[in-house]
Amino acid sequence: MNSVTVATLKQQKLAGEKIACLTAYDYSFGALLDRNGIDVILVGDSLGMVMQGHDTPVPVTLEDCIYHTKCVSRGVQNAMVIGDLPFGSYQVSKEQALRNSVRLMQEGGAQIIKYEGGQHMVEVTDFLTTRGVAVCGHIGLTPQSVNQFGGFKVQGRGDAGQCLLDEAISLEQAGVSLLILEAIPLDLAEKVTQSLSIPTIGIGAGIECDGQILVLQDMLGIYPDASPKFSKNFMEGASSIDAAVANYVQAVKKGYFPEKQHSFS
Ligand code: KIV
């Protein structure tokens, strides 16, 4: 079993130690992130964009996610590996969500399963977590719903903030161990983080989250298309990829990243 577990992360939140997370999609980068002190590696469906060249994660299949999770898992001994359920692989029924979570765990080697959604995922979450699956929720800008949002847009502004807070609380009550907050105002992310006993991991959600995550290709500055405002190129000034990742870990742990310019109000 990898040494970072959901219990480790909860302990880090209690101790006020920030959690450093990145995405990875293959064996070599899995190993590189692991040896540079990353706590959590997400094999995200962002692979649809950065590995496959799609505009959105919507075309990614369960087989794609299992394949990449398997590759990353082989390189990682310490960090916790999150497997991601892609669009259409968990929305049909709670039985479908359980079946595909089990595949990501048994074939991919994931320790914890992530999927997107708030209130409508509470029942599924309760079903999975009472059957031994550790779950990471993801609310705010949920990229699989990009067609509904009409683009990659900030969520949770105005009245929608209370709704997002309620969703976070309901997901925690249903048993999620970790919650990703994407592209929401920083004061809302702070309120959510203070209201939960599980750790929050922010991406475009400000400094007050318990941890931070970025897409690896964005933080290495190698994604050929536009990177989001909340990202930062850690290769600038770094002598190697190892150094860039180590700098990212330190920046998150010491609270130097994200800065105001990477956040939304
Ligand atoms: O798929 C992914 O990589 C993600 C992160 C950006 C949070 O969902």
Side-chain angles (χ1 to χ4, degrees):
M1 193 162 172
N2 297 16
S3 43
V4 177
T5 66
V6 293
T8 318
L9 300 181
K10 205 159 184 182
Q11 196 48 48
Q12 281 182 238
K13 175 169 177 134
L14 276 174
E17 187 195 330
K18 297 276 186 186
I19 301 165
C21 320
L22 282 173
T23 67
Y25 315 94
D26 66 19
Y27 170 78
S28 301
F29 272 111
L32 187 146
L33 266 45
D34 204 36
R35 69 174 175 255
N36 284 292
I38 282 286
D39 296 305
V40 176
I41 299 176
L42 166 65
V43 190
D45 63 358
S46 49
L47 71 87
M49 281 104 100
V50 299
M51 301 298 291
Q52 299 175 333
H54 294 296
D55 290 341
T56 76
V58 173
V60 174
T61 66
L62 181 65
E63 299 308 319
D64 293 334
C65 285
I66 292 173
Y67 171 77
H68 286 281
T69 307
K70 206 184 289 186
C71 296
V72 170
S73 294
R74 289 192 195 113
V76 178
Q77 264 123 45
N78 296 311
M80 191 173 81
V81 175
I82 307 182
D84 202 5
L85 284 176
F87 186 60
S89 71
Y90 58 94
Q91 294 95 337
V92 174
S93 66
K94 48 191 196 298
E95 288 79 12
Q96 182 208 29
L98 178 61
R99 199 165 39 245
N100 291 335
S101 298
V102 169
R103 288 198 64 194
L104 268 178
M105 292 165 73
Q106 291 187 333
E107 298 173 45
Q111 288 152 275
I112 172 167
I113 303 301
K114 179 177 91 62
Y115 45 77
E116 299 180 359
Q119 208 58 51
H120 62 288
M121 292 312 296
V122 169
E123 198 188 328
V124 172
T125 302
D126 183 62
F127 187 75
L128 296 191
T129 57
T130 50
R131 283 161 180 77
V133 180
V135 171
C136 172
H138 183 166
I139 56 175
L141 170 54
T142 46
Q144 292 174 13
S145 303
V146 62
N147 292 316
Q148 230 174 13
F149 295 146
F152 294 94
K153 295 182 176 161
V154 178
Q155 302 295 310
R157 282 188 169 133
D159 291 346
Q162 184 59 46
C163 177
L164 193 138
L165 176 60
D166 293 343
E167 288 187 320
I169 293 169
S170 299
L171 285 168
E172 174 171 42
Q173 285 167 351
V176 298
S177 300
L178 203 58
L179 185 61
I180 292 181
L181 304 175
E182 179 162 354
I184 64 170
L186 75 175
D187 56 344
L188 175 61
E190 180 176 8
K191 208 184 280 180
V192 172
T193 301
Q194 285 171 356
S195 306
L196 303 183
S197 63
I198 55 159
T200 60
I201 306 297
I203 173 162
I207 189 68
E208 297 301 336
C209 295
D210 298 306
Q212 299 294 329
I213 187 163
L214 285 178
V215 169
L216 180 66
Q217 279 75 356
D218 287 337
M219 67 77 69
L220 293 179
I222 56 171
Y223 185 55
D225 303 336
S227 283
K229 156 191 159 99
F230 52 70
S231 194
K232 177 176 171 178
N233 180 357
F234 281 83
M235 277 305 285
E236 277 170 12
S239 54
S240 65
I241 295 175
D242 278 278
V245 171
N247 290 345
Y248 169 77
V249 171
Q250 283 314 303
V252 170
K253 299 263 177 208
K254 292 187 169 147
Y256 299 154
F257 177 82
E259 296 164 63
K260 203 123 200 180
Q261 78 246 30
H262 308 116
S263 309
F264 301 101
S265 51

